[in-house]
Amino acid sequence: MLIDRARAARAFAAYVRPYNSADPKVALKISHTYRVAALCERIARSLALPLQDVDLAWLCGLLHDVGRFEQLRRFGTFNDAQSIDHAAAGADVLFEQGRVREYLDDASEDALLRTAVAWHSAYRLPPDLDARTRRFCAILRDADKVDILRVNVETPMEDIYGVTTRALRRSPVSPAVLEAFYAHHAVLRSLKQYPADHAVGHASLVFELEYPESLRAVREQGYLFRLLDFPTDLPETARIFAALREHMRAWLDGQAEYSGRF
């Protein structure tokens, strides 16, 4: 399948045009989309995929968050628990409403694209995916996680988490969230009780990155340890984050030494 990237980019620009790009939250998601698409391309190239598959990975990134814009317009939040499942909403916009045809005419990869969009933010992928579909889902999920680190550093945490600076600086960390971090897996949303839990949860996404290029991008960008340099007035929270930083550095060094991946 041939993908006309210029056409796809125009279609995305046309889709987001009615939303207020002066709104920082809208601008955030537009920027995030382009960065995730670029990261998808980077990861796909690192796997020596054919050019058509590199383009397909890029398109997965371009499409993955279209549901965010209606979510924000209708509910004023990016919190799925307080609104709608943005991934499912994106799949609905593209495939139930048929807007995917604005991006490309060929429908041969619709099933793969729909699966990638619908499952990109799920805690786990369904176990019965075919190998090819799973690869593109994994590429997209890696790219999204890598850029989430940037978002959480460059955007004020007060805006992301909807809390005051005082609440942020006086936030403890939930034991269950720490347990998930030290077990090296993503943190379930239901476990997050405090603002600091979100920072720990986003950092823990690094443990689940599948591709060497994704870890290389994390190293290059430097957002991970800026995220873990959490601002706090509580000595115990400061101690916890110091330990998290030390653990993460050791884990990353171990990954590099063990596999030579990055």
Side-chain angles (χ1 to χ4, degrees), residues 17 28 30 42 45 53 89 95 99-100 107-108 113 129 140 157 177 185 190 200 216 232-233 241 246 248 252:
R17 193 170 295 124
L28 171 69
I30 293 173
R42 173 177 172 172
R45 288 189 183 279
D53 283 355
F95 298 98
R99 300 197 68 155
V100 70
S108 62
L113 287 167
L129 295 180
L140 173 57
M157 290 185 179
V177 169
H185 60 71
S190 60
V200 177
R216 188 173 292 112
T232 181
D233 296 330
F241 273 92
E246 181 178 356
M248 181 62 80
L252 285 172

Side-chain angles (χ1 to χ4, degrees), residues 43 47 125 134-135 137-139 141-143 145-146 205-215 251 255 261:
I43 297 166
L47 299 172
L125 289 171
R134 191 192 181 286
R135 167 173 275 185
C137 287
I139 290 172
R141 286 161 66 87
D142 266 26
K145 289 169 184 172
V146 171
L205 295 175
V206 172
F207 294 127
E208 301 209 358
L209 295 175
E210 294 203 22
Y211 297 111
E213 196 66 22
S214 306
L215 285 170
W251 183 85
Q255 295 298 302
R261 295 188 301 173

Side-chain angles (χ1 to χ4, degrees), residues 45-67:
R45 288 189 183 279
S46 77
L47 299 172
L49 297 186
L51 181 58
Q52 290 187 4
D53 283 355
V54 172
D55 285 346
L56 184 59
W58 174 86
L59 184 61
C60 287
L62 190 71
L63 298 178
H64 85 285
D65 254 359
V66 295

Side-chain angles (χ1 to χ4, degrees), residues 225 228-230 238 240-250:
F225 289 102
L228 286 173
D229 190 18
F230 186 81
I240 286 172
F241 273 92
L244 295 176
R245 291 192 295 272
E246 181 178 356
H247 185 87
M248 181 62 80
R249 286 194 183 94

